[in-house]
Amino acid sequence: MSTIQDILAPRLDVSSDALLVVAIHQPGGAAVGAGTPLLDLETYKAQVVVESPGEGFVEYLCQVGDQVPTGAVLARLHPQAGFTVEAERRLSAEVSPTPGVVQERMPSPVADAASPPVPETTPALAPRFSKAARQALKRHHLDPALFQDQDLVTLRDVQSRLPPPAVQTVAPTAGQRRVALRFPPLPAELQRRIDWQPLTQAKQLEIQALDQVQRGGQVSLVTTWVRMGTLRAHIARQSEWLPESLLPLVVFETARLLRRHPCLNGFLEGERIGLYRDIHIGIAVDMGQGLKVLTLPHADTLGFRELEQLLFQRIEGYLDRTLTPGELLGSTFTVTDLSGFGVGHIQPLVNAHQSAILGIAGEDPDLHRFQLSLAFDHRVTEGREAALFLQALRERLEGHGAGPETPDAATRPVCGVCLKTLPEDRAMQGHGLLQLVDSAGRESLICQVCLMGY
Amino acid sequence: MDAAVVRQALLIRRVEETLLELFSQGRLNGTVHTCIGQELSAVAFARALVEQDVVVSGHRCHGHFLALTGDLDGLLAEMLGKVTGVCGGIGSSQHLFHQGRFFSNGIQGGMVPVAAGLALARKLRGVPGIGVAFIGDGTLGQGILYETLNLVARWRIPLLIVCEDNRYAQSTPREATLAGTIEARPAAFGIETFVSDTWDWPRLDAQAARSVAHVRATGTPALHVVRTDRLAPHSKGDDTRDAAELDAARARDLLTAHARAHPEQHGQWRAAIDREIRDLLGRIAQEPVLMLEEYHRKPRVSPRLPARRPVLPSSERLVTRLNRCFAELLAEHPEVVLLGEDIVDPYGGAFKVTRGLATAHPDRVLATPISEAAITGLANGLALAGMRPIVEIMFGDFVTLAMDQLINHAAKFHRMYNGQIGCPLILRTPMGGYRGYGPTHSQTLDKFLLGIDTLRVVALNAFTDPAGLYRALLAPGQQDPAIVIENKTLYGARIGDFQEENFIVEETIEPFPLTHIRPLHSAPEVTLVAYGGIASIAAGVLGPLFEQHDLKAELLIPSLLCPLDPRAILEAVERSGSLFVVEEGSAFAAWGAELIATIQERLGRRRPFSAHRIAALPVPIPAPRDLERQVLVEARRIIRDVVAHRP
Ligand SMILES: Cc1ncc(C[n+]2csc(CCOP(=O)(O)OP(=O)(O)O)c2C)c(N)n1
Ligand SMILES: [Mg+2]
C-alpha cells in the first residue's frame, strides 16, 4: 500500500448523526493488519468496533470521549512507520459549537447565592470530598469552602455547582438588527433551588436519534383496545420462556402483519421513502441499565417459541451487559412494552430510520383489556394504513384469547384433587374416576384414592 | 372388668366405628387412625392418672383422648371440622389438645421429648404430676426416642412411655424392622420396664397403676410395653394383613367376648352409646366451620414509621453484654431455663456466652447430651408448660438436627391447637464463617429457618443491643417460637462501633430495631441492606464507596428477619432507586431474594429500581483463610458489585 488511507466514522443505520469514541485499541503509530480493531464507537443503542481495512501504521485523529459526526475521519493508515502527522486539528475541534452560536453565561447559582448566615449554634460541618470531587475542584479552580454546608461531596455535587449549560440564541445576521423577544428568566429564588445534572452522552445521543423523525413534526398516533379474554392463560400454556408476558405474542403477530404493511417498515430520507425488504423487530427495553433496543432479526420468519427464546436470550444479555452490537443494531420497526408499569396509554417516539413504533400499555384491571398504540411518521404512511394494521393486530391477538381457560380440563379426564389422569390411574390399579357433585352443585371427577384415602 | 371399664372401652370403639362410617359417607375430611382392639390400654392408664399429669399421643390418639378427658362432644366436633371442636377443627384426628393436659401430633416419636419437657417443668416447679407418652411399636425406629430415653434417665424426669405393641407399623410387621427386643431398649438406659397386654384386663389394670405409681414415687422414667391387636385397618381400607391372623386377634378381643357373654347388657350399653353419639352428631352438624377471617388475619402494619434515635457506641463487647443479659434474665424470671451442650461452668459454652450462669443457677442452666433434636423437643414441652426455655445450639450448622421439633412442633402448636396454648421457645445459635472452621461449622443456614411460617427469626448485629432483643422475645404474650442467629464474628465486636466522618448511625425505636447508617444530610444514591455479622463488613464499605468511587451509600440493618417489616427499606429504595442486599449465605432462595420480591411487590409499579444480591458462592465453605473469604463475601467484592451495578 503506498497511499494514505482515511478511516471514516461509519454510518450506523439508527443514529447517523453522532457517535461517541469510547475506546482506542492501538497505540498511535502502531503497525496494524486487516481486521485489527482500532477503536470502539457508541451510539445510544450500541457499540461498534472499527477495524482496520488493511495493513499500515495507524494515526488517530480522535480521542476517547470525542463525539464525532458520521463521515468524519477517525484515523489514517500510513504506508510507512514514522509518518509525519498531517492533521494537526483533532476531531474534537470539529465538533465544537457551530459558528454563529453565541454562548451566553448564566450567573452561577453558587456565586449568586447569598446564603443566610449560619446560626452560630450549629457547628460548621467539615465537608468530605471524594477523590473524584477533589480532582474536579482542582480542575475547575473551585473553592472547597463553597461546599461548607454539605456532608459528602461527590463529583456530581461539584458539577452541580458549575455554571449551567450554555443558552443558545441565534446571532443576528449582519445588517439586520432585531430586538430579541426574551422569555423572562427564572426568578433568582428558584434558580438557587436547582440541582443541575449533566446530560449523559448516552442521553444526548438518544435525543438526537429520536429527534430525526419527531423533528419532521408529522408523527401521528392511533390506538386500539385489545380484550384480554383468556389471552394470559393461552400465553401461559404456549410459552416456555416468558409465560407472563404479552410481549412475545404481540411481536410474533406484529412481525407477520408487517409483511402486509410495508410502509410501516420503512423510513423517509430526504425526498424519498425507503422500504426495508426484511423485518427486524427492535424491542425497546429499559430495565434499569439504560434504554436499549434489542434486535430480533427476521422476526417474521421465526416460530413463536423461537422468537420467544430469542427475546429471552436478548433480555438476559441486556441484564448481564453482554449484548454485542449485532444484537442491538439494525431494527426496522420498534415495539415498546410498558405493560409492566401499569400505564394505560403510551405515546411512543419513532426511532431514526424507521416509520412506526408500537406501544403496549398495561392491562386495565377492571375492564380486562389493554391498549396498543401505533405512532407513525405521516410523511411515510397515513392513518388508514396504521388503523388497518392495528385492527388486524387486535383481531389476531383476541383470537388467541378466545379459547377456554384450561382446554385440558375439558378434553382430558383427571382427578380434580390429585390431577391424576386415567392412564395414570390405570397404572396404579385404580378403578377409574368417579363423577362428583359437591354441595354447591359443582361437578368434578375424583379418583378412588382421593375419595377413600390411602 | 367392671361396668365402667367396659362402657368406656365400648364408647371409644363405637366412636371410632362411627368415624369410619362418617368417613365412608364423605362427611369427614382427611384421615382417621382407629385404636379398635386397643381401647383397654387407654382406659387402664387414664384410670391411674391424676389431674396434674399430662398425656401426649400420636396419630392413633382418639382412645387416649377420650379416656383421659371424656370430651366426646369436642372430639366429634373436631373430627367434623367445626369451630366447637377441641381445636376449632384445625387439627382434626391427629392433632388434639385439651386444657394443657392432652396433646397429640402426627409425627412419630416427636412428642416424646415434648412430654419429657412437660414433665420436667412440673419437676422444676416442684409441683406433682408426671408425663405419659403413648407411642406405637413402629416408633421404636425413631432416633429422637433414644435421645429422650437417655435424657429422661440421666436427668430423672418423671415420664412414663407407653409402647402399644400391635406388631405393625402401617403395613410393616414388627419383625421386618425391629432388631433385638423391645424390653432390652429401656434396660440399656437403666429404665424400669413393665409389660402387660389388652387380653388380660386385671393384669393390665394393675400393671398400668404400678408403672404410673413407680414414676410418680421415684420421679424417674419407665417404659410400659402393652401387647395388643389393631383390629381395624391402619387408617381406612388399607389392610394387607393375613385374614387368619386377624380372626385370631378378634377371637381374643375382650369387648367381643363381653358382647358374647352378656349380649343383653352389652346391647343396652351399646344402644345408649349410639344414641348419645347420634344426638351429638345431629347437633354438631348445625355448628359452623371456622372462617378464614378467624383463622388468618393479615397483620396490620401502621404506615407510620417508628421514631429513631442515634446509636451510641458502647465499650462493651457483645459476648459480655449477652452474658450480662442472661444473668439478669435468669435472676428476674424464674421461668427462664437455659439448655445446651457444654454451657455450664467452668467451660461456659463454646463461645463463652453462658460463663458463670450455671454456677449461679445450677437448676436452670443445664448441660445437655449431644441431642439437638431431643433438647429442642424438651424445651418445647417446657414452653408449653409456661416456662421460658432458651436453647443454645452449639453451632448453627447443627440446627438441621432440631428441624422437626422446630417445624412440626414448636411452630405448629399455637395455631393448630387453635390458639389455646403458646410455645414461645427461644433457640439461639452461633452461625456463620470467617473463622476457618470449614464446611460444617461455618454455614449460614438462615434460609432454612426463614421458611417456617410462624417462626420468628431474629439476627443479632454489631449495632443493636442484644439484651433489648432478648427482652423483647421474652415479653409476656409471646405464643410462637423464635430463633436468634448470633453470628460468630459478632461475639468479640463492640456494640455500635462505627467511625466514618459525616455519616450517622440511627436505630428505630421498636422491640426489634432496624439500624440505619447514612450520610448526615445528603440523599443516598444507593441503598445497601445487610443483617447479622456481615452488616459490619457492609458498614465498612460506606467510606471507600464514597472516597474512591464517588458514591453516597446508606446501609440498613434489620434485626428482625421474619416476619419481614419492609417499611424502612421501602422508603429508602423508593428514594435511591437501587437496592443491594449483602448476605453471608448463598443467594438462591435466601432472605435477600425474599426482600427483593417484597420490595418489588410494593414498589415495582410506582418506582422502578435495580436490585442485586451480593452473597456467598454456592459451594461448601472451604477452611483455608483466603479461599474462605473469597467464597464468602469480602468488602472488596461488595465494592466491586456496587460500583458495577450503580444506577
Ligand atoms: C416421622 C413420621 N414418619 C412416618 C409417619 C407415617 N406413619 C404414620 S403412622 C405410621 C406407623 C406407625 O406405627 P406404630 O408406631 O407401630 O403405630 P401404630 O400405627 O401401629 O399405632 C407411619 C409410618 C409419620 N406420621 N411420622
Ligand atoms: Mg404398631
Side-chain angles (χ1 to χ4, degrees):
Chain A
M1 193 180 73
S2 57
T3 53
I4 296 174
Q5 200 178 344
D6 282 348
I7 296 158
L8 305 182
R11 162 172 277 256
L12 302 173
D13 69 320
V14 229
S15 162
S16 54
D17 290 345
L19 302 157
L20 181 69
V21 181
V22 289
I24 285 187
H25 294 302
Q26 310 299 330
V32 294
T36 306
L38 295 181
L39 48 88
D40 289 354
L41 293 176
E42 196 186 77
T43 71
Y44 86 102
K45 291 182 176 179
Q47 270 195 4
V48 286
V49 184
V50 176
E51 295 172 350
S52 172
E55 280 181 15
F57 299 87
V58 63
E59 176 199 4
Y60 285 103
L61 291 120
C62 61
Q63 58 186 358
V64 172
D66 281 352
Q67 205 167 303
V68 296
T70 304
V73 185
L74 296 170
R76 286 196 174 133
L77 275 191
H78 293 268
Q80 293 104 20
F83 51 84
T84 47
V85 175
E86 291 177 32
E88 289 293 322
R89 220 159 50 100
R90 305 199 72 100
L91 271 171
S92 49
E94 289 180 39
V95 291
S96 67
T98 40
V101 172
V102 184
Q103 297 224 358
E104 197 182 274
R105 287 197 124 228
M106 294 284 283
S108 152
V110 175
D112 219 36
S115 45
V118 183
E120 301 214 326
T121 43
T122 43
L125 193 65
R128 258 180 94 174
F129 294 90
S130 74
K131 202 167 115 195
R134 278 196 299 273
Q135 288 166 353
L137 279 185
K138 223 177 190 175
R139 219 171 28 246
H140 297 286
H141 309 291
L142 283 180
D143 181 359
L146 281 174
F147 299 91
Q148 214 169 33
D149 54 333
Q150 289 198 22
D151 52 356
L152 305 176
V153 182
T154 60
L155 174 61
R156 286 171 300 289
D157 294 322
V158 174
Q159 285 170 339
S160 73
R161 296 287 178 116
L162 291 176
V167 170
Q168 298 186 358
T169 53
V170 178
T173 31
Q176 231 188 333
R177 281 195 73 86
R178 244 193 2 197
V179 182
L181 282 178
R182 275 187 161 247
F183 195 72
L186 286 175
E189 196 51 41
L190 197 53
Q191 277 281 357
R192 272 198 294 279
R193 305 289 305 157
I194 296 174
D195 295 326
W196 293 100
Q197 274 194 358
L199 211 49
T200 62
Q201 265 156 334
K203 194 71 195 168
Q204 291 178 32
L205 292 168
E206 182 188 312
I207 291 170
Q208 287 185 22
L210 292 175
D211 196 39
Q212 199 198 65
V213 176
Q214 265 65 222
R215 195 178 41 205
Q218 299 192 19
V219 174
S220 182
L221 187 79
V222 288
T223 66
T224 187
W225 290 106
V226 181
R227 277 190 302 272
M228 266 302 176
T230 55
L231 197 54
R232 286 215 188 271
H234 171 82
I235 288 171
R237 272 196 310 274
Q238 296 302 318
S239 167
E240 230 172 80
W241 301 92
L242 297 160
E244 320 229 293
S245 173
L246 296 170
L247 182 62
L249 192 65
V250 174
V251 173
F252 176 77
E253 292 298 357
T254 297
R256 274 160 180 68
L257 261 179
L258 279 176
R259 291 190 201 153
R260 292 210 241 136
H261 299 272
C263 285
L264 298 175
N265 194 47
F267 65 103
L268 177 83
E269 191 183 71
E271 307 276 285
R272 52 191 192 155
I273 289 172
L275 300 179
Y276 293 111
R277 290 184 192 156
D278 301 314
I279 294 171
H280 309 315
I281 304 278
I283 310 292
V285 295
D286 189 350
M287 294 159 92
Q289 304 189 1
L291 175 66
K292 292 259 147 85
V293 178
L294 316 176
T295 307
L296 308 178
H298 300 285
D300 59 325
T301 65
L302 301 178
F304 176 70
R305 291 264 168 91
E306 278 175 300
L307 182 133
E308 187 193 30
Q309 185 179 4
L310 183 64
L311 177 59
F312 183 81
Q313 285 168 355
R314 291 279 194 272
I315 291 172
E316 293 237 291
Y318 169 87
L319 292 173
D320 301 344
R321 301 176 189 248
T322 54
L323 289 175
T324 62
E327 291 167 351
L328 290 164
L329 292 176
S331 58
T332 61
F333 178 92
T334 305
V335 177
T336 179
D337 177 10
L338 294 179
S339 60
F341 297 99
V343 297
H345 169 85
I346 312 169
Q347 177 149 7
L349 299 176
V350 182
N351 253 319
H353 290 100
Q354 293 185 7
S355 63
I357 178 166
L358 179 74
I360 311 171
E363 180 179 352
D364 182 321
D366 301 320
L367 300 175
H368 301 291
R369 59 183 197 175
F370 65 98
Q371 204 184 56
L372 289 177
S373 45
L374 187 76
F376 60 95
D377 189 344
H378 214 291
R379 298 170 303 178
V380 179
T381 179
E382 49 285 311
R384 181 177 180 277
E385 176 91 39
L388 286 174
F389 168 83
L390 217 46
Q391 184 189 16
L393 181 58
R394 190 196 73 215
E395 279 167 7
R396 287 185 177 206
L397 290 172
E398 287 182 347
H400 289 291
E405 195 72 46
T406 51
D408 288 7
T411 56
R412 201 166 58 128
V414 294
C415 169
V417 179
C418 66
L419 303 181
K420 186 189 295 163
T421 62
L422 267 181
E424 283 165 353
D425 183 69
R426 207 173 307 124
M428 295 164 79
Q429 264 116 54
H431 297 302
L433 302 175
L434 292 158
Q435 186 92 34
L436 197 76
V437 182
D438 71 9
S439 51
R442 288 180 296 243
E443 288 186 21
S444 62
L445 298 175
I446 189 162
C447 71
Q448 182 204 6
V449 176
C450 287
L451 185 67
M452 305 286 285
Y454 56 88
Chain B
M1 284 202 288
D2 64 37
V5 171
V6 180
R7 290 183 70 155
Q8 194 168 31
L10 189 59
L11 172 80
I12 295 171
R13 180 162 302 184
R14 286 305 298 148
V15 166
E16 293 203 323
E17 284 170 348
T18 309
L19 291 177
L20 286 177
E21 249 170 71
L22 289 172
F23 187 85
S24 62
Q25 293 163 7
R27 289 174 62 193
L28 206 139
N29 203 22
T31 188
V32 266
H33 304 88
T34 65
C35 67
I36 294 168
Q38 310 183 176
E39 300 91 341
L40 287 171
S41 166
V43 174
F45 288 96
R47 272 156 67 91
L49 296 179
V50 298
E51 188 63 31
Q52 293 89 346
D53 299 332
V54 56
V55 174
V56 310
S57 179
H59 60 295
R60 208 173 295 292
C61 63
H62 308 151
H64 306 140
F65 177 90
L66 281 177
L68 186 80
T69 72
D71 187 359
L72 176 58
D73 192 349
L75 175 69
L76 288 176
E78 182 66 25
M79 295 302 294
L80 291 171
K82 303 295 189 168
V83 266
T84 50
V86 284
C87 294
I90 297 161
S92 185
S93 174
Q94 307 187 72
H95 315 99
L96 304 177
F97 171 83
H98 201 271
Q99 294 174 4
R101 285 191 70 215
F102 184 92
F103 305 78
S104 71
N105 198 2
I107 303 296
Q108 302 304 307
M111 288 303 276
V112 183
V114 177
L118 287 160
L120 176 60
R122 283 158 172 75
K123 180 177 164 180
L124 285 174
R125 287 178 165 151
V127 300
I130 69 166
V132 178
F134 285 97
I135 61 171
D137 52 308
T139 305
L140 296 167
Q142 284 292 6
I144 197 167
L145 175 68
Y146 301 98
E147 290 187 11
T148 309
L149 286 178
N150 180 52
L151 201 67
V152 294
R154 187 65 197 77
W155 285 11
R156 302 177 63 88
I157 294 177
L159 175 69
L160 175 64
I161 299 174
V162 181
C163 176
E164 294 179 327
D165 171 21
N166 59 16
R167 301 179 312 287
Y168 282 92
Q170 204 148 333
S171 68
T172 307
R174 195 182 63 202
E175 308 78 68
T177 51
L178 194 87
T181 64
I182 300 179
E183 292 88 333
R185 288 166 156 76
F189 296 93
I191 291 177
E192 189 74 21
T193 309
F194 299 81
V195 183
S196 54
D197 59 64
T198 56
W199 316 302
D200 178 350
W201 167 253
R203 192 173 123 83
L204 169 63
D205 192 33
Q207 283 289 84
R210 265 191 61 211
S211 57
V212 167
H214 170 86
V215 172
R216 201 184 302 289
T218 63
T220 60
L223 191 139
H224 195 142
V225 187
V226 181
R227 314 269 185 228
T228 185
D229 292 310
R230 160 164 66 76
L231 297 179
H234 168 70
S235 54
K236 311 136 300 192
D238 55 357
D239 216 332
T240 50
R241 293 175 297 177
D242 185 47
E245 187 188 339
L246 269 177
D247 287 345
R250 276 191 205 104
R252 58 183 172 184
D253 171 45
L254 290 185
L255 277 184
T256 315
H258 183 268
R260 227 180 292 118
H262 313 281
E264 201 166 316
Q265 189 186 43
H266 192 93
Q268 276 170 12
W269 287 348
R270 188 187 146 118
I273 288 169
D274 285 356
R275 217 174 309 118
E276 188 188 356
I277 294 175
R278 203 176 336 107
D279 291 350
L280 277 175
L281 286 177
R283 219 196 58 226
I284 290 167
Q286 313 304 317
E287 283 161 0
V289 294
L290 197 69
M291 305 293 286
L292 180 62
E293 304 77 69
E294 297 168 276
Y295 187 51
H296 175 68
R297 216 169 281 136
K298 232 177 144 184
R300 258 203 245 152
V301 188
S302 154
R304 292 225 348 241
L305 286 169
R308 295 169 176 228
R309 64 175 163 223
V311 173
L312 303 173
S314 145
S315 59
E316 195 171 19
R317 292 195 187 279
L318 197 120
V319 63
T320 336
R321 183 79 190 94
L322 274 176
N323 181 266
R324 200 154 59 84
C325 150
F326 290 130
E328 289 164 5
L329 291 172
L330 279 163
E332 289 167 31
H333 300 285
E335 295 81 27
V336 170
V337 182
L338 266 49
L339 300 150
E341 294 155 21
D342 299 285
I343 66 168
V344 301
D345 300 320
Y347 192 66
F351 294 90
K352 310 302 166 207
V353 172
T354 52
R355 202 197 308 242
L357 302 181
T359 307
H361 305 278
D363 52 331
R364 290 189 287 134
V365 180
L366 306 171
T368 68
I370 307 173
S371 305
E372 286 80 7
I375 62 176
T376 308
L378 189 85
N380 278 337
L382 289 174
L384 287 173
M387 306 286 286
R388 302 308 305 268
I390 304 177
V391 174
E392 174 176 305
I393 299 289
M394 186 190 275
F395 277 76
D397 310 70
F398 315 151
V399 84
T400 52
L401 294 139
M403 270 320 214
D404 175 57
Q405 283 300 324
L406 287 175
I407 298 177
N408 287 318
H409 296 80
K412 295 291 179 289
F413 290 138
H414 176 59
R415 301 310 302 274
M416 85 179 181
Y417 296 148
N418 199 24
Q420 297 172 90
I421 198 161
C423 184
L425 163 81
I426 297 177
L427 189 142
R428 37 176 296 272
T429 189
M431 205 59 102
Y434 300 97
R435 288 292 198 93
Y437 294 161
T440 65
H441 285 63
S442 311
Q443 298 169 90
T444 293
L445 298 181
D446 310 357
K447 60 173 79 169
F448 299 99
L449 305 168
L450 290 163
I452 306 173
D453 303 320
T454 78
L455 180 85
R456 201 189 321 228
V457 183
V458 171
L460 303 191
N461 61 64
F463 304 92
T464 308
D465 178 7
L469 300 177
Y470 275 106
R471 284 189 180 280
L473 289 174
L474 280 167
Q478 306 296 312
Q479 306 286 7
D480 287 317
I483 296 246
V484 183
I485 298 166
E486 300 181 352
N487 193 283
K488 293 181 198 93
T489 59
L490 289 173
Y491 290 129
R494 292 188 200 282
I495 301 164
D497 186 19
F498 181 80
Q499 265 127 28
E500 199 59 72
E501 233 181 290
N502 293 355
F503 280 84
I504 181 177
V505 187
E506 294 176 325
E507 68 178 3
T508 56
I509 304 174
E510 54 185 329
F512 301 98
L514 172 135
T515 308
H516 191 181
I517 309 182
R518 58 172 177 84
L520 214 45
H521 301 312
S522 299
E525 298 163 303
V526 294
T527 300
L528 272 61
V529 178
Y531 69 84
I534 204 163
S536 300
I537 299 184
V541 308
L542 298 180
L545 275 179
F546 170 70
E547 279 290 340
Q548 306 301 322
H549 301 280
D550 208 40
L551 256 186
K552 297 176 193 175
E554 66 186 329
L555 172 64
L556 291 98
I557 309 166
S559 58
L560 180 63
L561 306 185
C562 174
L564 174 62
D565 175 359
R567 289 175 299 167
I569 301 173
L570 263 174
E571 191 191 58
V573 176
E574 180 155 19
R575 200 174 38 217
S576 72
S578 84
L579 168 62
F580 292 87
V581 193
V582 186
E583 288 180 284
E584 191 177 328
S586 61
F588 187 85
W591 188 79
E594 187 54 41
L595 176 70
I596 291 170
T598 306
I599 303 288
Q600 169 64 31
E601 284 168 352
R602 308 273 183 100
L603 205 60
R605 279 175 182 265
R606 218 158 9 104
R607 164 74 154 117
F609 66 97
S610 68
H612 294 276
R613 287 170 288 175
I614 304 169
L617 306 179
V619 287
I621 296 164
R625 192 187 143 88
D626 287 342
L627 191 58
E628 181 188 34
R629 270 150 216 267
Q630 286 167 333
V631 164
L632 299 175
V633 173
E634 297 178 287
R636 241 188 326 189
R637 179 137 74 88
I638 303 177
I639 293 173
R640 196 191 66 203
D641 286 4
V642 171
V643 170
H645 297 286
R646 61 192 286 174

